[in-house]
């Protein structure tokens, strides 16, 4: 039977006890509204760890607009079922009061291009909110493996860097993006798309494919790759591109000429819904490989 905790002290004691008994701990941080993308992280954790703790916490610190926070879907009962079915043994679902009391004056902030560009530029303060809550979750969980989706690639890169810089006793593991059959990356925001917007949305994944093809066919000018992605989206009138970019997969700087492990990233609005997606490509010694 899956165990559900609301108190920091209780989940901490449970995970400490597991480690004392020689069991390994896997952590899957989420904001709930779980779907098959989250489920894939839980299964990955369950394959490698004896105890798997899914955290469900809609973190106010990482939301810009109060309306966004208020309208974020909250489905704890079905989240617990999905976590259980996919091999989780623990759900930690704290209240805002439990996590932040009457407010936190201590925050964690990652500096440099990793947080300044792309999602960092579009959503001021967002990554400070993510870094702060993830640091807290790591501190609560203790030594563990923590699973994050490549779907939020910039977030994954920031969490990796933060865990390394702060010597946190956590191994950060990135997991491939789960997609619908037509290529659209699963997201809790997809339910907000109208039927027409839903039909248009896979253009984002095709644009990333066009960018990757461009790199694979030898383009080393970042502008050419960005143009290929932009042109692919331009044919779809329902989509307003926010950005298309190609960056170094770990630093988020843009190498020119392009080389090494790269990440292609796009963000776009479909009506009121903002979607993001990304794809990896590697350029090494004249050979080009396409990632997930
Ligand atoms: P949330 O959006 O709920 O996502 C939780 C985790 O699920 C993240 O690591 C995200 O990358 C992963 N995920 C979402 N969709 C996915 C997909 N289609 N395929 C694979 N993985 C997917 O990301 C957050 O919550 C928060 O910022 C959090 C890290 C929990 C901090 O509050």
């Amino acid at each position: 039977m899956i165990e559900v905790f609301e108190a920091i002290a209780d989940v901490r004691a449970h995970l400490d006890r597991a480690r004392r008994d020689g069991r390994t701990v896997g952590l899957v941080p989420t904001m709930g509204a779980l779907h098959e993308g989250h489920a894939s992280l839980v299964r990955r954790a369950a394959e490698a760890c004896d105890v798997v703790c899914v955290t469900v916490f809609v973190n106010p610190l990482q939301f810009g607009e109060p309306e966004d926070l208020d309208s974020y879907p909250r489905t704890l009962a079905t989240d617990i079922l999905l976590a259980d079915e996919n091999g989780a043994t623990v759900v930690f679902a704290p209240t805002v009061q439990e996590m932040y009391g009457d407010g936190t004056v201590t925050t964690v902030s990652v500096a440099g291009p990793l947080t300044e560009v792309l999602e960092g530029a579009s959503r001021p303060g967002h990554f400070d909110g993510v870094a702060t809550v993830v640091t807290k979750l790591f501190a609560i969980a203790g030594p563990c493996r923590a699973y994050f989706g490549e779907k939020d690639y910039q977030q994954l890169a920031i969490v990796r860097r933060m865990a390394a810089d702060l010597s946190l006793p956590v191994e950060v593991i990135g997991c491939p993006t789960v997609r619908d059959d037509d290529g659209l990356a699963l997201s809790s925001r997809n339910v907000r798309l109208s039927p027409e917007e839903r039909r248009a949305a896979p253009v984002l994944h095709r644009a990333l494919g066009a960018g990757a093809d461009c790199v694979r066919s030898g383009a080393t000018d970042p502008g050419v790759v960005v143009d290929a992605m932009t042109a692919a989206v331009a044919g779809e009138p329902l989509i307003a591109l926010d950005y298309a970019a190609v960056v170094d997969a770990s630093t988020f700087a843009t190498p020119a000429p392009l080389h090494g492990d790269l990440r292609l990233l796009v963000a776009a609005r479909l009506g009121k819904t903002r979607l993001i997606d990304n794809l990896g490509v590697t350029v090494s010694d004249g050979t080009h490989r396409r990632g997930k």
Side-chain angles (χ1 to χ4, degrees):
M1 252 302 270
I2 193 157
E3 291 192 69
V4 181
F5 297 103
E6 194 183 301
I8 291 171
D10 293 344
V11 72
R12 179 179 272 153
H14 180 89
L15 299 178
D16 279 347
R17 208 175 313 118
R19 274 184 297 264
R20 271 200 307 278
D21 293 346
R23 287 182 285 160
T24 56
V25 173
L27 186 72
V28 183
T30 80
M31 297 203 297
L34 302 186
H35 52 63
E36 187 50 34
H38 300 106
S40 73
L41 305 187
V42 178
R43 288 195 296 272
R44 239 337 249 293
E47 278 164 22
C49 310
D50 303 316
V51 172
V52 174
C53 176
V54 175
T55 71
V56 176
F57 179 62
V58 182
N59 172 34
L61 290 192
Q62 69 187 77
F63 284 82
E65 309 291 325
E67 311 82 67
D68 251 17
L69 173 63
D70 294 341
S71 68
Y72 201 85
R74 287 159 170 89
T75 59
L76 184 59
T78 48
D79 292 345
I80 293 169
L81 287 176
L82 183 139
D84 193 9
E85 280 163 16
N86 287 280
T89 56
V90 176
V91 167
F92 174 51
T95 60
V96 174
Q97 176 68 29
E98 177 69 7
M99 284 295 271
Y100 295 125
D102 295 328
T104 181
V105 293
T106 306
T107 56
V108 178
S109 183
V110 177
L114 260 184
T115 50
E116 283 164 5
V117 301
L118 307 180
E119 288 306 287
S122 299
R123 306 176 67 187
H126 170 70
F127 284 129
D128 287 356
V130 170
T132 301
V133 80
V134 171
T135 303
K136 260 180 96 73
L137 293 171
F138 286 0
I140 292 164
C144 63
R145 296 195 184 100
Y147 295 81
F148 290 83
E150 289 184 349
K151 161 72 171 49
D152 301 282
Y153 196 81
Q154 194 170 3
Q155 168 173 279
L156 170 63
I158 289 166
V159 169
R160 271 192 207 290
R161 183 62 197 257
M162 179 191 88
D165 282 354
L166 299 180
S167 304
L168 302 178
V170 176
E171 185 188 344
V172 176
I173 294 161
C175 305
T177 300
V178 177
R179 301 176 179 283
D180 265 338
D181 291 343
D182 59 9
L184 179 65
L186 298 192
S187 163
S188 40
R189 294 175 174 202
N190 293 354
V191 295
R192 298 183 186 169
L193 299 172
S194 70
E196 297 75 37
E197 289 164 353
R198 175 63 190 79
R199 273 193 290 278
V203 164
L204 291 180
H205 182 237
R206 289 204 291 278
L208 293 166
D213 286 346
C214 194
V215 175
R216 291 207 331 263
S217 62
T220 54
D221 177 347
V224 169
V225 178
V226 168
D227 286 349
M229 293 190 281
T230 308
V233 177
E236 180 41 73
L238 288 180
I239 303 190
L241 191 66
D242 193 348
Y243 60 73
V246 51
V247 300
D248 178 275
S250 41
T251 64
F252 272 62
T254 297
L258 294 171
H259 64 272
D261 283 336
L262 304 172
R263 209 77 195 176
L264 309 174
L265 303 102
V266 291
R269 277 177 203 283
L270 290 87
K272 290 194 182 111
T273 312
R274 188 168 180 279
L275 299 181
I276 58 172
D277 201 353
N278 67 85
L279 193 67
V281 201
T282 301
V283 181
S284 51
D285 305 330
T287 58
H288 301 76
R289 280 194 294 119
R290 180 169 165 175
K292 294 263 179 185

